[in-house]
Amino acid sequence: MSLPDQLTVARVAAVPVVVLLFAWDFPNHAYWATILFCLAMATDQADGRLARRRGTSSALGKLLDPVADKVLVLAALVMLIGEGVAPAWMVALIVVREILISGLR
């Protein structure tokens, strides 16, 4: 497994941790969740840059990279409903849009 693929898998693995940090009530939990979310999203740019620089691409990366991005972002949006930051109807609209766009691909 190449380094870009490992970064993508790490982004997928970060999803439950981000959700847990948002849900778990301890001092500054939202800050820790946000920091981890930002670090996970930074791996998206890093794995793309590495894959382009090395001229490597894999079937796993092509399949998992867009899924990892969507799952991480949508999980964070759903958790923001509970925090009172985003209204549920807006998140539902975004989720439906992402499902439809991904389904058309």
Side-chain angles (χ1 to χ4, degrees):
M1 185 181 293
S2 66
L3 182 57
D5 289 342
Q6 291 174 359
L7 290 172
T8 300
V9 170
R11 192 165 53 256
V12 171
V15 172
V17 180
V18 169
V19 169
L20 179 67
L21 286 173
F22 267 123
W24 194 14
D25 191 22
F26 63 92
N28 300 321
H29 68 101
Y31 292 110
W32 289 108
T34 303
I35 289 168
L36 182 58
F37 174 83
C38 291
L39 288 173
M41 288 309 295
T43 65
D44 183 36
Q45 183 179 11
D47 72 24
R49 182 177 292 145
L50 283 171
R52 281 189 300 276
R53 185 181 313 155
R54 294 179 179 181
T56 61
S57 66
S58 68
L60 175 67
K62 288 178 184 177
L63 174 72
L64 197 56
D65 189 60
V67 172
D69 298 338
K70 287 181 183 12
V71 169
L72 182 61
V73 170
L74 293 177
L77 284 172
V78 168
M79 295 310 296
L80 290 176
I81 293 170
E83 296 288 322
V85 176
W89 67 267
M90 188 181 302
V91 173
L93 189 66
I94 293 169
V95 169
V96 168
R97 178 195 173 274
E98 291 299 328
I99 291 171
L100 290 174
I101 296 295
S102 297
L104 290 174
R105 288 186 186 178

